């Protein structure tokens, strides 16, 4: 510890032609959609949650734009050069809440898909977000796997 490590790797020698590659077998349930190049706007007022979600998405090849509030998110979306495939937004935030700011954002970007995240029960605000097109819900606390699966599902 503290001085480094040395590894020796031994690989078997191979002579002759490389074996013929067969077509890759399909995964049960179909192939998973790659998230490389997907663009997500992540709006979360709690820094640890925002950092966790941002890192989880970035590890999958997603370009993440972060915003700590709805107001900052709307400011970022005013840039016509910012392309966003999916918005991931907390529902309850100081200032403007998730459904309110997303409705405003979708006036300019109506086809953008949305994932609302909240520690409150979905039923407590489902009437608000249910009116928003292309919206889904993910309860907090969520796992990296749950977030990635829902993003992948919306990207399909």
């Amino acid at each position: 510890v503290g001085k480094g490590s040395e590894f020796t790797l031994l690989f078997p020698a191979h002579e002759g032609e490389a074996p013929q590659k067969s077509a890759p077998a399909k995964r049960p349930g179909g192939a998973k959609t790659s998230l490389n190049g997907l663009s997500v706007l992540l709006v979360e007022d709690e820094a640890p949650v925002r950092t966790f979600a941002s890192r989880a998405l970035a590890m999958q090849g997603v370009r993440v734009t972060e915003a700590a509030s709805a107001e900052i998110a709307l400011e970022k979306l005013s840039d016509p050069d910012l392309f966003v495939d999916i918005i991931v937004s907390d529902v309850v935030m100081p200032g403007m809440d998730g459904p309110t700011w997303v409705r405003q954002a979708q006036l300019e970007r109506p086809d953008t898909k949305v994932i609302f995240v909240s520690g409150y029960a979905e039923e407590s605000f489902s009437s608000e977000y249910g009116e928003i097109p292309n919206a889904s819900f993910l309860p907090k606390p969520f796992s990296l796997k749950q977030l990635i699966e829902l993003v992948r599902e919306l990207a399909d």
Side-chain angles (χ1 to χ4, degrees):
V1 176
K3 298 190 183 220
S5 300
E6 182 177 313
F7 297 89
T8 303
L9 302 175
L10 302 173
F11 296 100
H14 177 75
E15 292 181 17
E17 293 183 32
Q20 296 294 327
K21 292 184 180 181
S22 60
K26 288 192 176 187
R27 294 180 190 172
K32 290 187 176 180
T33 300
S34 170
L35 298 180
N36 279 334
L38 193 72
S39 181
V40 168
L41 174 60
L42 175 62
V43 186
E44 171 61 61
D45 61 307
E46 293 181 47
V49 177
R50 190 173 61 249
T51 300
F52 165 78
S54 180
R55 286 182 183 162
L57 292 166
M59 286 172 41
Q60 298 294 316
V62 175
R63 289 185 318 247
V64 180
T65 302
E66 296 182 31
S69 71
E71 292 79 10
I72 293 170
L74 287 170
E75 184 180 316
K76 289 183 183 234
L77 285 174
S78 69
D79 178 358
D81 294 330
L82 176 65
F83 181 77
V84 175
D85 294 298
I86 299 173
I87 294 170
V88 178
S89 177
D90 194 1
V91 172
V92 179
M93 295 182 287
M96 206 179 302
D97 67 24
T100 301
W101 88 262
V102 167
R103 272 191 215 90
Q104 192 172 335
Q106 284 189 329
L107 293 174
E108 295 294 319
R109 299 173 184 246
D111 298 328
T112 306
K113 297 175 183 174
V114 181
I115 299 172
F116 286 115
V117 296
S118 179
Y120 294 95
E122 181 178 7
E123 295 79 26
S124 64
F125 60 89
S126 61
S127 62
E128 290 180 46
Y129 94 83
E131 299 169 5
I132 296 174
N134 304 314
S136 299
F137 178 77
L138 183 63
K140 286 182 185 176
F142 52 84
S143 70
L144 171 133
K145 182 179 179 184
Q146 290 170 313
L147 176 62
I148 298 303
E149 284 178 357
L150 187 51
V151 168
R152 182 170 277 124
E153 184 180 308
L154 293 180
D156 278 341

